[in-house]
Amino acid sequence: MKSLLAIRTKIFLAILLILLVSYSFLVVITIRTVDSSLEGELSRKLAEQVRYAKDQYTNRAEQIQYSLMHPASAPPVRERMVARDSLWLRDAARRWMTILPFVELIVFVDSRGTVIAGGNQYRMDRTFELTPVVERAIRERHPVVSTELVTTEFLCSEGLVNYCRGGDSGNTGEVMMQTVVVPVVDTRGAMVGAFVAGDILETDTRLPSQVQEVFGRQVYVTITRKEIIPPDSFGKNGPQAIPARILGGLRQGLPFRGDAEIGGKVFTAAFDPLTNSRGDFVGALVVALSRDDYKGVLQGSLGNIVASAILGLVLSFVTAYWVSLRLTKPVRELADGVRRIEEGELQQRVAVTSSDEIGKLAEAFNRMAAAIDERDRTIRTKAHDLENLNLKLTDMNEFLERRVEERTAALQVEMGRLEAILTSMAEGIAVTDRDGRVILFNPAAQQLFEMVPHRVVGQPILDICNQGEFCRLVEHITSMGENRDLATVREVDLDARGKKLKVTLAPLVDGDGHFAGVVMSVRDVTAEEEVDRMKTEFISTVSHELKTPLTSIKGSLQLIVDKSRGFADVEKELLGVCLRNTERLIRLVNDILDIAKIESGKMEFALSPHSPAELVEWSVRELEGFAREHGVTVVNEVSADLPAIYGDGDRLGQVLINLIANAVKFSPRGAVVTISAEQSDNFVAVSVKDRGREIQWADRGKLFKRFQQIDSGDRRQHGGTGLGLAICKEIVERHHGRIFYSEGIGGGNVFTFTVPIYEGEP
């Protein structure tokens, strides 16, 4: 009885000990895991908040810089600075300060650092306090952004009365100011001076509010002036000093990450040093999280763990006691059966009625004696086979591990390359999965749509499109996903954030060839469209200005030629050359004006029915003298029975004259240029065939492009602007026709254009 009690006690104690040790180990691991998780979450949040705060701190200076670089290159501003027109410059500075409301100071200085004008005051011709920053920008000929410590006397002298002694604020001493200096260079490359813009940081609460708006009120953000933390930054009424162990590293340009005691309270903080243009320490950007919030979460977690531990102890005791009772009863019966077999009752079998593991053990014990020898021989044979198989499996496992390591390394290299390419691309790249969720949003796309990645990646594109003003793309993405379109590439023009964007949408295909999402490539074409518009306006203006004097010159030369009886032959020849070149210039100006009208949509068409034969006959008569001069015969094979066409007769005649003139110019002397026409469905196709040298394949793509000429020698010698065929193409397409080139049968070239048939009443 004592032994049975001892077995049950041992089982009870063993089970209880196992449960207690397991649960104790689980509690310790849980506490450490919670602590580590909270610490990691605290560090991750701090790093994310520091990145966001630094971005917000630098974005405003970049906005000031980019806003001032355009006027710095404007001719009126440079001229006013050279003329030292302080009144005009003062008004300009005030306008810019209205556009940039967070800029408190804009000053114009010359190349020697002398103040010309400012937006807040009128005193001029004095030396500027921030001369070293100005000298650096002028010396490097590049904008300079720095954080500077300026005196209140300087701000008072610049017209900021709140910083004057006796003013409303009564501020004295030094003030931190984010300073942007943009140099001004005239058209000859000489330095004219510079713009100086200042954003005072002392009273600026936008940075903390921006960070707290994103991450919550529990994060503290401030900018120190040297080693002094401003009042109310960490819930303290008075100013606080940066701890000495942190300040030493900041002065050496080293950032700090870790726990810091500020005002008697412990924070997990990040200190990033701020330096001026000379590299001197002027302050720090501080982002901090209170440790009290962390301790509250940890204490709550520990309370739950302790409560669970107490409950677990009680359950462990009850479980151990019940299991020990449950196990000892069949064990006693099994021990009694074994004892009787040992005493000589060989026919005795262990009788256990339970169907659990103990019952199976009893049945196995009864079969054990007869099977031991057979099992022993079998085990020896199998052991040898297993040893050989184990060696083969070991070799195969090592081979597979090497292959996995090689493939993993190659995949990591490819992923690194892909990430580097996407990060460095100037074009914005965004990728969605088959459910319309954003899975990739590179830095260029973030800048174009002005969105931060953690608010985009993983979100449905329909939920975030309003933030970036690209909801027009959603219907295209949805259509591609619903239709599972794997071949179509779509281009969409988009206006977002004041930019003109060209977006290319292409399907993303997985390894099985199924639709997996959409890839969007975004390019900013705002500057390209503006340059194209300015080019068109400039060409149109210049052409209009040239046309009037050229017409006068032509009339004068024609009058002189008509009355040139007393001139020598050489003088007559020179007058003829002048007249021909004047006519060529007038044709060039007319072509440029036509192109400008077409591009601006101002070319008007007077549509009416016309006979193709009459249009061709009129065009041939217009070029009779030109053809005789080149020794070429023009043959009109157009039938008078063709149906009337619907279009602008003058413009269609312009197309015919251009094509016939080209055919005459590029045909050898004695050749024949043939004009024919035929009806094709609802169009009349007019063809002009010459006997000149065939146009090479490499040059045919240039035929109908503007300012493009074929490089062959016999065509270059005839000159030309490269606009004629481009104008013909625009005119024909405005008539809903088309123009194209083909090789002539037996040599030569054929240019054909189509015009719709008039379908009105005869």
Side-chain angles (χ1 to χ4, degrees):
M1 188 65 185
K2 290 182 179 180
S3 61
L4 293 177
L5 182 60
I7 292 174
R8 184 167 61 186
T9 302
K10 290 178 181 179
I11 294 176
F12 170 77
L13 293 177
I15 296 173
L16 182 61
L17 180 61
I18 291 172
L19 292 175
L20 290 177
V21 171
S22 300
Y23 201 84
S24 299
F25 181 78
L26 179 62
V27 169
V28 173
I29 292 299
T30 303
I31 293 174
R32 291 184 178 179
T33 302
V34 170
D35 184 76
S36 176
S37 176
L38 290 176
E39 285 285 357
E41 181 68 14
L42 203 62
S43 299
R44 186 190 64 77
K45 286 184 177 180
L46 182 63
E48 186 177 7
Q49 293 159 4
V50 169
R51 286 196 300 271
Y52 183 77
K54 291 173 70 175
D55 289 342
Q56 295 301 317
Y57 179 75
T58 57
N59 281 347
R60 191 180 301 170
E62 293 177 354
Q63 183 179 353
I64 298 173
Q65 174 184 336
Y66 294 139
S67 299
L68 294 181
M69 285 178 67
H70 178 71
S73 62
V77 177
R78 294 186 300 210
E79 293 170 2
R80 300 290 182 174
M81 289 189 66
V82 172
R84 304 180 75 85
D85 189 345
S86 60
L87 294 178
W88 189 92
L89 294 173
R90 180 198 64 194
D91 293 339
R94 289 178 176 176
R95 290 195 303 272
W96 300 344
M97 291 172 67
T98 303
I99 297 173
L100 301 169
F102 47 82
V103 174
E104 289 88 357
L105 175 69
I106 293 182
V107 178
F108 298 88
V109 297
D110 60 17
S111 59
R112 297 186 300 274
T114 303
V115 177
I116 300 175
N120 298 318
Q121 47 79 39
Y122 304 91
R123 288 177 291 171
M124 55 183 292
D125 294 332
R126 55 189 174 79
T127 302
F128 193 52
E129 179 173 319
L130 297 175
T131 301
V133 189
V134 176
E135 290 177 348
R136 175 183 169 187
I138 292 176
R139 181 175 63 255
E140 296 178 355
R141 306 173 75 88
H142 191 273
V144 174
V145 178
S146 68
T147 303
E148 300 287 339
L149 284 177
V150 297
T151 62
T152 55
E153 289 79 3
F154 163 71
L155 297 177
C156 178
S157 67
E158 296 301 328
L160 300 177
V161 297
N162 288 341
Y163 293 92
C164 298
R165 297 182 183 276
D168 294 338
S169 65
N171 290 325
T172 60
E174 293 180 322
V175 177
M176 289 186 68
M177 183 173 73
Q178 202 168 27
T179 307
V180 179
V181 182
V182 180
V184 181
V185 184
D186 62 14
T187 56
R188 296 172 298 177
M191 293 301 305
V192 175
F195 304 160
V196 182
D199 180 11
I200 297 175
L201 303 174
E202 295 291 320
T203 58
D204 190 356
T205 61
R206 282 186 289 264
L207 178 61
S209 63
Q210 288 171 344
V211 178
Q212 290 177 349
E213 182 180 354
V214 175
F215 297 101
R217 306 293 298 180
Q218 69 274 15
V219 58
Y220 299 93
V221 180
T222 189
I223 298 176
T224 73
R225 175 159 45 87
K226 291 189 175 178
E227 67 273 9
I228 302 302
I229 301 174
D232 301 327
S233 297
F234 293 88
K236 303 297 180 181
N237 294 329
Q240 305 291 325
I242 298 177
R245 66 186 182 88
I246 300 175
L247 183 60
L250 294 176
R251 288 176 174 170
Q252 297 178 8
L254 302 176
F256 173 81
R257 300 288 187 275
D259 293 341
E261 183 176 353
I262 303 174
K265 190 175 180 180
V266 178
F267 295 86
T268 296
F271 289 75
D272 282 3
L274 302 176
T275 58
N276 60 15
S277 60
R278 298 180 297 277
D280 300 330
F281 173 75
V282 296
L285 174 63
V286 184
V287 179
L289 292 170
S290 175
R291 299 288 294 186
D292 292 342
D293 298 336
Y294 165 78
K295 290 180 180 178
V297 175
L298 183 60
Q299 289 174 357
S301 301
L302 290 177
N304 294 333
I305 293 173
V306 171
S308 300
I310 295 173
L311 179 62
L313 290 174
V314 175
L315 293 176
S316 299
F317 182 86
V318 174
T319 301
Y321 183 77
W322 180 81
V323 170
S324 63
L325 289 178
R326 180 75 175 176
L327 290 177
T328 53
K329 183 178 179 180
V331 168
R332 288 198 304 270
E333 295 177 356
L334 181 61
D336 184 66
V338 171
R339 180 182 57 78
R340 285 190 290 173
I341 290 175
E342 183 180 6
E343 292 175 350
E345 298 181 12
L346 301 179
Q347 302 299 320
Q348 180 66 32
R349 296 290 182 266
V350 176
V352 178
T353 58
S354 63
S355 60
D356 56 9
E357 289 79 4
I358 299 298
K360 295 179 181 179
L361 177 62
E363 294 175 358
F365 182 81
N366 293 331
R367 298 190 302 269
M368 179 181 60
I372 285 178
D373 185 58
E374 181 181 355
R375 297 289 178 87
D376 183 67
R377 291 193 301 269
T378 303
I379 287 174
R380 288 193 183 97
T381 303
K382 294 295 183 181
H384 180 70
D385 295 337
L386 287 174
E387 184 177 359
N388 294 334
L389 180 59
N390 186 52
L391 292 175
K392 294 180 180 179
L393 290 175
T394 301
D395 294 338
M396 181 62 70
N397 186 48
E398 292 177 353
F399 172 76
L400 291 176
E401 287 179 353
R402 288 195 300 270
R403 291 297 302 273
V404 169
E405 291 176 355
E406 292 172 359
R407 296 297 297 272
T408 301
L411 182 60
Q412 290 175 346
V413 171
E414 291 299 324
M415 290 295 292
R417 291 174 181 170
L418 178 60
E419 183 177 358
I421 291 171
L422 292 175
T423 302
S424 61
M425 285 182 65
E427 290 190 356
I429 299 296
V431 182
T432 66
D433 60 12
R434 58 171 52 90
D435 297 323
R437 294 183 178 273
V438 179
I439 59 175
L440 177 63
F441 204 72
N442 77 338
Q446 299 167 26
Q447 185 175 5
L448 289 173
F449 293 111
E450 300 179 9
M451 300 178 71
V452 293
H454 71 274
R455 290 191 172 185
V456 178
V457 177
Q459 300 296 323
I461 194 168
L462 182 61
D463 295 344
I464 62 172
C465 67
N466 285 325
Q467 304 174 23
E469 301 180 2
F470 54 86
C471 287
R472 280 187 55 205
L473 302 177
V474 174
E475 61 180 305
H476 296 283
I477 296 173
T478 304
S479 174
M480 295 174 72
E482 292 176 350
N483 299 331
R484 293 297 189 261
D485 191 351
L486 304 181
T488 303
V489 176
R490 306 186 184 185
E491 289 190 356
V492 181
D493 294 325
L494 183 67
D495 292 334
R497 303 293 186 184
K499 307 181 186 73
K500 299 285 187 179
L501 305 178
K502 185 172 290 294
V503 183
T504 302
L505 297 97
L508 182 65
V509 182
D510 60 17
D512 297 329
H514 299 148
F515 179 83
V518 177
V519 178
M520 293 175 283
S521 174
V522 187
R523 185 166 61 92
D524 189 351
V525 297
T526 306
E528 296 176 11
E529 292 188 359
E530 179 65 17
V531 169
D532 189 67
R533 182 190 64 79
M534 293 172 65
K535 178 208 71 176
T536 302
E537 292 180 356
F538 174 79
I539 291 175
S540 178
T541 302
V542 171
S543 300
H544 278 290
E545 294 297 329
L546 288 175
K547 187 174 183 180
T548 300
L550 285 173
T551 304
S552 300
I553 292 171
K554 177 186 176 183
S556 301
L557 288 173
Q558 187 67 54
L559 180 61
I560 294 172
V561 170
D562 294 339
K563 297 182 178 181
S564 60
R565 297 176 181 176
F567 292 124
D569 293 338
V570 175
E571 294 170 338
K572 291 180 180 180
E573 179 64 24
L574 292 176
L575 286 173
V577 171
C578 292
L579 182 60
R580 287 193 298 273
N581 281 282
T582 302
E583 291 174 346
R584 181 182 176 188
L585 284 174
I586 291 175
R587 289 195 299 272
L588 170 61
V589 170
N590 287 334
D591 287 345
I592 294 176
L593 284 174
D594 286 342
I595 285 293
K597 288 179 181 179
I598 291 171
E599 289 183 341
S600 61
K602 296 180 180 178
M603 177 174 280
E604 298 179 356
F605 291 82
L607 303 178
S608 60
H610 296 278
S611 169
E614 292 177 359
L615 283 177
V616 173
E617 183 179 356
W618 174 82
S619 302
V620 171
R621 285 200 306 270
E622 288 290 316
L623 293 172
E624 284 179 352
F626 182 77
R628 284 196 301 270
E629 181 181 347
H630 286 75
V632 175
T633 303
V634 180
V635 177
N636 181 6
E637 296 181 350
V638 178
S639 173
D641 297 330
L642 288 173
I645 58 177
Y646 189 64
D648 187 319
D650 292 336
R651 294 301 178 186
L652 293 175
Q654 182 178 354
V655 174
L656 281 167
I657 289 175
N658 203 320
L659 294 178
I660 297 171
N662 283 346
V664 170
K665 282 195 300 184
F666 300 123
S667 294
R669 299 187 71 85
V672 176
V673 172
T674 305
I675 306 170
S676 60
E678 62 180 0
Q679 182 177 354
S680 176
D681 296 329
N682 294 328
F683 292 84
V684 171
V686 182
S687 300
V688 178
K689 179 179 180 181
D690 63 46
R691 301 299 298 175
R693 182 182 300 176
E694 292 182 3
I695 299 173
Q696 300 299 318
W697 277 101
D699 295 324
R700 294 178 185 178
K702 306 176 183 178
L703 286 175
F704 300 102
K705 294 183 179 179
R706 301 167 190 169
F707 301 104
Q708 294 287 335
Q709 291 182 326
I710 299 175
D711 294 331
S712 60
D714 60 337
R715 293 183 176 269
R716 279 293 183 188
Q717 67 183 359
H718 297 288
T721 63
L723 293 175
L725 290 178
I727 295 173
C728 293
K729 179 177 182 293
E730 294 290 345
I731 293 174
V732 171
E733 289 180 350
R734 286 291 295 273
H735 284 80
H736 305 290
R738 67 188 188 96
I739 186 170
F740 54 94
Y741 165 84
S742 60
E743 297 177 0
I745 299 175
N749 307 281
V750 180
F751 285 86
T752 304
F753 69 94
T754 62
V755 184
I757 295 173
Y758 178 66
E759 297 180 351
E761 293 295 330

